[in-house]
Amino acid sequence: MSSIKTIVGNIDNTVLSFTVGNDVVLDKKLVDFDCISTAAHAYMLMQLPKNNPIISKEEFNSLLISLNKIIELNNEKKFKIKEVDQDVHMAIEKMITKEHGELGKKLHTFRSRNDQVATDLRLLAKKELIKTVDVSLSLIKSLIIFAKKNKNVPMVGRTHMHPAMPSSVGLWASAHAESLLDDCNCLFSAYELNDQCPLGSAASYGVPFKIDRNLTSSLLGFSKPTHNVLYANNSRGKVESIILSSMSQVMLSLSRIAQDLLIFTMPEFNYFKVADNFLTGSSIMPQKNNLDICELIRAKSSSVKSCELAIYDIVKSAPSGYNRDLQETKQPFFEGILTTISCLEILTSLIYTLKVNKNDMIKAFDSKVFSTDRTLELVAEGMSFRDAYNHVKNNLDDLKNIDPREAIKNKTHLGAPYGLDWSYYTVRTNQISKKLKKEKINFERKISKLLDRPYKVI
């Protein structure tokens, strides 16, 4: 067996390949964030100690040019992470050392790859959570537009998938929008937990020097540093699973929308019509037009949940301090985020093409759908509810099939088909948009100032 010399020692080549795993590919997602966190760490080193800083101002300025160059190379897909580098951190350090010599050798002072990767992942998560809320808002807005446009179109409300009571398309679409509004709150809760900087915790136990963790946290746009240095690293995996838990809630909402669309676009229902270019064909049946998008969203909701559970299972039995098991959390974390965002984007596009077949909606009503309404009419006339219930139940064949458009007009209380407060959705959407904009601007300003170049989240 032969060994390969790396920055951190000689390693047998088969051991190196096994331990590096897929990091040379996955870590490409972290290049920008490792450059950003390195800039913050170097700025802090420039302040310490005051009389003889570890990194001079001139060195920091040179470093910033190189870090921005690496970011550009990465955006052009030209920055390479080799197996001998082991990971993104060593690849960047090696390039800086090659360009600047002693400066590159100083960069790892007071930090470990443990707090580096934890910080990089939290920076990535901030960006991806902002994007997820943003695309969630796009879907919410598309559903509200669709709901308002069809607010008075009657639709059979169902329980156990069977006809139940008169409802409306407006009620159906805005119900799904409201679910996603709650999901945005879950995403923001995950965002707030993630919004703590682990940089400076080093290998989980701090360093024997009074470094300024508040400074690096502020430079990176975090609300605060994680307090306990051991928890800063113990939280890795835990925070990722919480983030994917919030993503799973989004996917749960998407899966239910997808399932409804699969049912209601069936020819037996024909409630909704999806644009032909969103449908796929069959290799053997010429007549087929399949709503594969919704079937895949339904399946991918389980995929995202499995990513969350994979991370949970990896960290649940890990002892305190860093353990290499955490390397295996990267792929499900990245995959879960990417899947959620792609599903949000494709479903938003689909909803904007969705058409309502009003005639088929109305034809779907029969007299029995109005049985509860008739029961409550008898109550209003003075009969007890149970007597009215039994009377209607025993005389179902005598029920009249009334105009469902008139029936839903009687449902005017809060949240009912004719009692929907559209300003409620506007206010909630605006509140989330405002909060999102604030977080986005703050993050972009902080990173732009640190890098001395424009930085955009979305």
Side-chain angles (χ1 to χ4, degrees):
M1 290 186 178
S2 60
S3 294
I4 297 176
K5 186 176 181 180
T6 70
I7 292 178
V8 293
N10 294 326
I11 305 173
D12 178 84
N13 59 0
T14 56
V15 173
L16 179 65
S17 294
F18 180 80
T19 55
V20 168
N22 204 26
D23 267 11
V24 292
V25 176
L26 296 174
D27 276 14
K28 290 178 182 178
K29 288 183 174 290
L30 299 179
V31 173
D32 291 8
F33 303 108
D34 201 68
C35 289
I36 291 167
S37 63
T38 296
H41 185 70
Y43 188 93
M44 188 267 291
L45 292 178
M46 188 174 65
Q47 313 298 315
L48 301 172
K50 292 292 184 182
N51 57 340
N52 187 24
I54 296 166
I55 290 179
S56 68
K57 185 175 182 180
E58 291 74 20
E59 286 178 317
F60 176 77
N61 290 335
S62 296
L63 173 66
L64 209 55
I65 292 171
S66 294
L67 291 174
N68 279 317
K69 177 183 175 183
I70 292 171
I71 290 173
E72 287 300 324
L73 287 171
N74 186 53
N75 291 339
E76 295 169 3
K77 303 187 186 304
K78 294 179 181 178
F79 182 76
K80 305 298 181 183
I81 304 172
K82 299 177 181 178
E83 191 172 86
V84 69
D85 299 328
Q86 296 184 284
D87 51 45
V88 62
H89 322 296
M90 294 295 98
I92 290 174
E93 182 179 319
K94 186 172 76 173
M95 184 169 180
I96 299 299
T97 303
K98 184 178 179 180
E99 288 187 7
H100 301 286
E102 288 299 312
L103 170 59
K105 297 177 183 179
K106 297 176 184 179
L107 288 179
H108 212 58
T109 307
F110 303 140
R111 70 174 178 173
S112 164
R113 283 184 291 180
N114 300 347
D115 62 335
Q116 271 187 269
V117 67
T119 304
D120 295 351
L121 287 166
R122 289 200 182 214
L123 287 168
L124 176 142
K126 279 170 71 76
K127 180 175 180 176
E128 298 297 347
L129 281 165
I130 286 171
K131 185 173 182 180
T132 305
V133 174
D134 184 65
V135 292
S136 295
L137 281 171
S138 295
L139 177 54
I140 290 165
K141 289 172 183 176
S142 71
L143 285 166
I144 295 301
I145 290 170
F146 181 79
K148 290 181 75 174
K149 181 180 178 181
N150 300 285
K151 62 183 180 180
N152 298 331
V153 178
M155 179 179 183
V156 174
R158 295 172 183 273
T159 62
H160 308 277
M161 292 188 69
H162 287 263
M165 296 177 69
S167 183
S168 68
V169 175
L171 191 75
W172 173 83
S174 59
H176 288 303
E178 194 165 336
S179 178
L180 285 161
L181 285 167
D182 282 350
D183 295 337
C184 285
N185 289 336
C186 289
L187 291 168
F188 272 123
S189 293
Y191 185 92
E192 289 168 8
L193 282 172
N194 178 75
D195 197 22
Q196 303 174 68
C197 184
L199 192 59
S201 58
S204 303
Y205 304 101
V207 295
F209 200 92
K210 195 171 182 180
I211 59 174
D212 193 344
R213 294 188 61 217
N214 284 303
L215 174 61
T216 49
S217 175
S218 177
L219 288 169
L220 292 169
F222 287 101
S223 62
K224 59 184 176 181
T226 49
H227 180 70
N228 186 293
V229 292
L230 177 56
Y231 176 65
N233 283 292
N234 279 355
S235 66
R236 187 172 163 206
K238 177 183 176 71
V239 171
E240 288 95 305
S241 69
I242 290 170
I243 290 168
L244 289 188
S245 176
S246 68
M247 300 277 179
S248 293
Q249 290 302 314
V250 173
M251 290 302 299
L252 178 62
S253 295
L254 300 192
S255 182
R256 298 194 75 176
I257 297 171
Q259 175 71 349
D260 277 0
L261 290 174
L262 285 165
I263 292 171
F264 295 138
T265 55
M266 290 170 59
E268 292 82 356
F269 283 89
N270 200 36
Y271 288 179
F272 299 131
K273 171 69 175 174
V274 175
D276 288 344
N277 60 341
F278 278 84
L279 304 171
T280 61
S282 164
S283 64
I284 189 173
M285 296 171 284
Q287 85 284 8
K288 291 300 294 295
N289 290 294
N290 304 316
L291 192 50
D292 287 357
I293 286 173
C294 288
E295 292 173 1
L296 286 168
I297 288 172
R298 194 172 56 186
K300 287 176 185 291
S301 65
S302 295
S303 298
V304 173
K305 192 66 179 179
S306 70
C307 289
E308 174 201 339
L309 294 176
I311 296 175
Y312 176 91
D313 280 344
I314 288 168
V315 301
K316 68 179 173 61
S317 299
S320 291
Y322 176 80
N323 300 277
R324 194 62 179 264
D325 312 47
L326 289 169
Q327 180 175 304
E328 292 298 304
T329 65
K330 283 182 184 175
Q331 184 160 332
F333 184 50
F334 297 159
E335 182 183 328
I337 292 170
L338 178 64
T339 300
T340 302
I341 291 173
S342 65
C343 288
L344 281 163
E345 290 175 334
I346 194 68
L347 189 55
T348 301
S349 299
L350 187 150
I351 293 297
Y352 275 117
T353 76
L354 199 62
K355 304 294 182 184
V356 173
N357 295 320
K358 296 181 183 179
N359 290 336
D360 288 288
M361 288 275 192
I362 294 171
K363 288 178 184 177
F365 283 83
D366 63 24
S367 60
K368 292 182 176 62
V369 177
F370 305 103
S371 61
T372 302
D373 288 12
R374 178 55 185 155
T375 299
L376 295 176
E377 284 178 4
L378 293 174
V379 169
E381 293 170 6
M383 192 179 293
S384 72
F385 173 78
R386 192 53 61 198
D387 285 345
Y389 173 94
N390 288 326
H391 173 78
V392 172
K393 187 176 181 65
N394 293 330
N395 297 278
L396 288 175
D397 292 337
D398 296 335
L399 287 170
K400 295 179 180 179
N401 193 359
I402 63 177
D403 187 341
R405 288 166 291 195
E406 296 301 316
I408 60 174
K409 287 181 181 179
N410 294 323
K411 297 186 175 185
T412 59
H413 66 75
L414 179 66
Y418 265 72
L420 289 168
D421 182 359
W422 298 106
S423 65
Y424 166 84
Y425 295 103
T426 301
V427 168
R428 285 196 66 184
T429 302
N430 288 343
Q431 286 173 341
I432 292 169
S433 296
K434 185 177 179 180
K435 187 173 182 178
L436 178 68
K437 184 178 179 181
K438 179 182 176 183
E439 294 298 337
K440 177 177 175 289
I441 289 174
N442 177 65
F443 191 38
E444 289 180 342
R445 281 178 178 170
K446 289 284 188 176
I447 305 304
S448 296
K449 183 177 180 181
L450 175 63
L451 295 178
D452 195 28
R453 58 171 283 177
Y455 176 80
K456 295 293 182 184
V457 172
I458 302 173

